[in-house]
């Protein structure tokens, strides 16, 4: 349990540093978010960057919640569920969105909607294993 408490403290500290706009949220509430999203992050994959990955993911989710709570549509806000804006026109107001794929790019599409999601993708990409090379006989 002491290890888990130490991890909470480190992640809370990282969230406070990378996302100062959430400093008003209590530690208890942030710990609840950490509990939910820590299971979506692989400790084996992220290794020593595990806490940082959780902090970015929690900050990303909090940002999405802020967008949804400030919208009349809530979680159905078009900026959250649509693809990127491909075209915008002012006269007669026209807007065209790209498709959201149902593959891995859908996850990245949602992560790309916030700065913290982009940082999570960047960290994940930096840790991606490079192909192994074999010695030719």
């Amino acid at each position: 349990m002491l290890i888990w408490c130490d991890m909470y403290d480190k992640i809370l500290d990282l969230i406070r540093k990378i996302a100062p706009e959430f400093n008003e949220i209590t530690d208890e509430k942030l710990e609840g978010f950490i509990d939910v999203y820590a299971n979506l992050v692989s400790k084996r994959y992220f290794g020593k960057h595990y806490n940082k990955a959780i902090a970015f993911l929690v900050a990303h989710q909090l940002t999405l919640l802020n967008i949804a709570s400030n919208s009349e549509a809530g979680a159905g806000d078009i900026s959250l569920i649509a693809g990127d804006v491909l075209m915008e026109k002012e006269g007669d107001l026209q807007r065209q969105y790209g498709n959201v794929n149902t593959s891995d790019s859908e996850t990245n599409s949602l992560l790309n909607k916030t700065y913290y999601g982009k940082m999570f993708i960047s960290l994940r990409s930096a840790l991606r294993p490079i192909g192994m090379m074999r010695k030719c006989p």
Side-chain angles (χ1 to χ4, degrees):
M1 183 68 175
L2 184 59
I3 294 171
W4 189 244
C5 290
D6 187 41
M7 186 187 82
Y8 275 125
D9 291 341
K10 289 178 182 177
I11 295 171
L12 287 170
D13 187 47
L14 283 166
I15 292 171
R16 304 271 183 229
K17 285 180 183 173
I18 65 170
E21 66 268 29
F22 301 123
N23 283 346
E24 297 159 10
I25 298 176
T26 65
D27 286 353
E28 292 79 24
K29 190 169 184 179
L30 284 175
E31 287 172 3
F33 281 97
I34 292 168
D35 284 339
V36 171
Y37 296 107
N39 293 330
L40 301 176
V41 178
S42 169
K43 192 169 194 167
R44 184 175 181 196
Y45 184 88
F46 284 97
K48 66 181 183 178
H49 301 286
Y50 177 68
N51 293 344
K52 192 182 303 178
I54 294 171
F56 282 133
L57 192 58
V58 167
H60 165 72
Q61 294 296 339
L62 288 169
T63 304
L64 290 180
L65 283 172
N66 280 345
I67 292 169
S69 66
N70 291 326
S71 167
E72 289 181 21
D77 187 308
I78 195 71
S79 69
L80 296 176
I81 59 175
D84 295 332
V85 176
L86 297 178
M87 182 194 63
E88 210 166 30
K89 182 179 173 186
E90 261 184 69
D92 293 325
L93 186 65
Q94 182 178 357
R95 187 177 275 182
Q96 183 179 353
Y97 295 94
N99 292 333
V100 177
N101 297 328
T102 56
S103 64
D104 184 46
S105 65
E106 180 178 344
T107 303
N108 285 344
S109 174
L110 190 57
L111 286 168
N112 274 312
K113 296 206 181 275
T114 72
Y115 167 77
Y116 305 111
K118 289 178 181 185
M119 293 305 295
F120 180 86
I121 290 171
S122 177
L123 180 61
R124 185 182 63 194
S125 296
L127 298 173
R128 184 172 292 136
I130 299 174
M132 308 242 329
M133 294 183 63
R134 293 190 299 172
K135 213 193 276 187
C136 293

